[in-house]
């Protein structure tokens, strides 16, 4: 495990250094290979051991070893081996919630590029990736919620991902809809009061406001109040301004013309203030922060166009496409998923 952590540190130092390589550096790759060999030799045989407590302790140790081994394989880009190691961990200790959570994350990452699991993944080839992820997160959540082994932090993370998948790909989850996405996110936030959970509940709520459900956003009821609270909380980061702007933009889909213009202006202000806050921080930016900046710019361009300034809006979008085409594409996909890429239908 020390070798694995050292390799990850070597990787992070290389990729965050100005001009550092995008690929895994040779020293990190060599250390990971060494770590995998160490994990293989660390497996503890249980034959001949009869004491239940000792067996349980050994199984837990072995399962965690396979989790570490899976992470090492994943960093090396060996997805089939990473997947198999995760399944081995669950086979050794099916009650280890963390193993189910990590398997869910594996399938979720896979779903971003492969709607169905490829033939290289034993036992699940051809199955919908998002559904595989959802089912794994459900298993993690149920185990973590068990009073005998309660783990609110892990349960919260599983619920967060359940909400995210249901919001992004509801067609993949049988008998689930946007109401469930809101419920999962709310439960996640109840267990752990974090920005990640608040943001997901906001996004689930603004996505749900559709097909006669606009009262969930625009009314004076408890649901509308909850949406406003989650989406317009303390403005302490560019991400929080992005959420607030998306909420205001979404309101414009349901309000009358006069209020619609006010919604759009408030959205534009939020996007601009988020971008200004981002630009005021001179520290090196992480990939996630850079994504937020592109989303803010794309959202501002869209809102300007919807507010009756299509030329200004298109200039903003064109400039983003020229400067950061990959970021612009991701921002457009993100806004489209959460129903904040299009103006109100006329």
């Amino acid at each position: 495990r020390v070798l694995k952590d050292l390799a990850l540190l070597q990787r992070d130092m290389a990729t965050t250094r100005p001009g550092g390589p995008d690929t895994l550096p040779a020293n990190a790759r060599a250390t990971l290979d060494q770590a995998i060999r160490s994990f293989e030799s660390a497996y503890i045989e249980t034959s001949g051991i009869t004491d239940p407590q000792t067996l349980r302790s050994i199984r837990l140790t072995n399962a965690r070893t396979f989790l570490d081994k899976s992470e090492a394989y994943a960093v090396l880009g060996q997805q089939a081996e990473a997947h198999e190691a995760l399944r081995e961990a669950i086979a050794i200790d099916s009650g280890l919630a963390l193993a189910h959570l990590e398997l869910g994350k594996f399938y979720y990452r896979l779903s971003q590029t492969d709607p169905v699991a490829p033939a290289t993944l034993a036992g699940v080839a051809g199955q919908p990736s998002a559904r595989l992820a959802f089912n794994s997160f459900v298993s993690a959540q149920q185990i973590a919620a068990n009073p005998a082994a309660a783990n609110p932090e892990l349960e919260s993370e599983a619920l967060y991902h359940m909400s995210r998948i249901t919001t992004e790909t509801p067609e993949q989850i049988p008998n689930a809809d946007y109401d469930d996405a809101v419920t999962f996110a709310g439960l996640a936030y109840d267990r752990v009061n974090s920005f990640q959970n608040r943001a997901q509940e906001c996004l689930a709520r603004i996505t749900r406001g559709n097909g006669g459900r606009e009262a969930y956003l625009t009314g004076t009821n408890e649901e509308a109040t909850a949406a406003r609270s989650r989406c317009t909380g303390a403005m302490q980061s560019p991400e929080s301004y992005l959420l607030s702007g998306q909420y205001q933009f979404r309101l414009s889909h349901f309000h009358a013309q006069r209020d619609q213009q006010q919604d759009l202006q408030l959205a534009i202000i939020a996007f601009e203030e988020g971008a200004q806050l981002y630009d005021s921080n001179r520290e090196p930016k992480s990939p996630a922060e850079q994504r937020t900046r592109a989303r803010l710019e794309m959202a501002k361009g869209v809102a300007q166009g919807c507010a009756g300034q299509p030329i200004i809006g298109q200039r903003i979008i064109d400039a983003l496409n020229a400067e950061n085409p990959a970021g612009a594409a991701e921002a457009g996909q993100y806004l489209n998923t959460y129903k904040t890429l299009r103006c109100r239908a006329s």
Side-chain angles (χ1 to χ4, degrees), residues 295-309:
R295 291 171 180 179
L296 284 162
E297 201 69 7
M298 176 66 75
K300 184 174 73 169
V302 171
Q304 289 280 14
C306 296
Q309 298 176 307

Side-chain angles (χ1 to χ4, degrees), residues 99-169:
H100 292 277
L101 182 72
E102 292 302 325
L103 184 60
K105 290 180 180 179
F106 176 92
Y107 289 136
Y108 179 75
R109 289 191 298 269
L110 179 69
S111 72
Q112 307 304 295
T113 54
D114 295 288
V116 298
T120 53
L121 298 189
V124 298
Q127 297 185 42
S129 303
R131 190 179 304 171
L132 288 168
F134 182 83
N135 292 339
S136 295
F137 289 131
V138 169
S139 296
Q141 183 268 326
Q142 291 174 344
I143 295 169
N146 189 321
N151 188 329
E153 290 79 13
L154 196 150
E155 185 187 4
S156 173
E157 189 170 359
L159 285 161
Y160 161 80
H161 280 95
M162 288 161 63
S163 174
R164 189 164 175 177
I165 293 171
T166 308
T167 305
E168 295 171 359
T169 54

Side-chain angles (χ1 to χ4, degrees), residues 53-342:
Q53 188 171 355
T54 303
L55 279 171
R56 170 64 181 155
S57 176
I58 291 174
R59 289 195 185 104
L60 179 60
T61 299
N62 284 341
R64 290 185 178 276
T65 296
F66 272 97
L67 289 182
D68 285 324
K69 186 177 178 181
S70 173
E71 184 179 5
Y73 275 130
V75 176
L76 287 168
Q78 297 175 231
Q79 297 305 313
E81 290 82 357
H83 177 250
E84 185 59 29
L86 285 169
R87 285 163 59 89
E88 285 281 357
I90 291 172
I92 292 169
D93 189 348
S94 61
L96 182 58
L98 180 61
H100 292 277
L101 182 72
E102 292 302 325
L103 184 60
K105 290 180 180 179
F106 176 92
Y107 289 136
Y108 179 75
R109 289 191 298 269
L110 179 69
S111 72
Q112 307 304 295
T113 54
D114 295 288
V116 298
T120 53
L121 298 189
V124 298
Q127 297 185 42
S129 303
R131 190 179 304 171
L132 288 168
F134 182 83
N135 292 339
S136 295
F137 289 131
V138 169
S139 296
Q141 183 268 326
Q142 291 174 344
I143 295 169
N146 189 321
N151 188 329
E153 290 79 13
L154 196 150
E155 185 187 4
S156 173
E157 189 170 359
L159 285 161
Y160 161 80
H161 280 95
M162 288 161 63
S163 174
R164 189 164 175 177
I165 293 171
T166 308
T167 305
E168 295 171 359
T169 54
E171 71 284 352
Q172 293 256 7
I173 312 303
N175 304 316
D177 61 16
Y178 291 130
D179 285 349
D180 296 302
V182 171
T183 298
F184 296 146
L187 290 170
Y189 188 78
D190 288 343
R191 281 147 183 77
V192 176
N193 182 341
S194 68
F195 178 79
Q196 172 181 274
N197 290 337
R198 177 168 77 84
Q200 179 53 35
E201 187 175 348
C202 166
L203 292 171
R205 286 182 180 279
I206 66 175
T207 307
R208 176 175 66 167
N210 216 35
R213 293 176 168 186
E214 59 270 17
Y216 283 129
L217 292 175
T218 63
T220 57
N221 53 57
E222 184 177 338
E223 292 286 348
T225 300
R228 185 164 53 253
S229 170
R230 295 293 182 262
C231 295
T232 61
M235 297 301 169
Q236 298 176 338
S237 66
E239 292 82 3
S240 60
Y241 280 101
L242 176 62
L243 278 184
S244 178
Q246 286 181 265
Y247 169 75
Q248 294 295 160
F249 183 91
R250 188 68 167 128
L251 288 180
S252 74
H253 288 175
F254 307 115
H255 279 155
Q257 180 67 27
R258 184 184 65 182
D259 291 336
Q260 178 187 354
Q261 284 298 313
Q262 182 180 16
D263 293 332
L264 291 170
Q265 291 304 319
L266 289 172
I268 291 168
I269 291 170
F271 297 141
E272 288 177 340
E273 291 183 348
Q276 290 168 5
L277 181 58
Y278 175 97
D279 294 339
S280 68
N281 181 358
R282 302 299 183 184
E283 296 295 322
K285 304 299 194 297
S286 69
E289 290 171 323
Q290 293 171 28
R291 282 196 299 273
T292 296
R293 183 65 174 87
R295 291 171 180 179
L296 284 162
E297 201 69 7
M298 176 66 75
K300 184 174 73 169
V302 171
Q304 289 280 14
C306 296
Q309 298 176 307
I311 295 176
I312 294 176
Q314 194 58 51
R315 283 176 182 167
I316 294 171
I317 295 172
D318 289 345
L320 177 61
N321 272 305
E323 176 187 348
N324 183 4
E330 192 282 332
Q333 182 180 17
Y334 166 83
L335 294 175
N336 186 58
T337 296
Y338 298 111
K339 303 188 187 304
T340 48
L341 183 65
R342 306 275 182 255

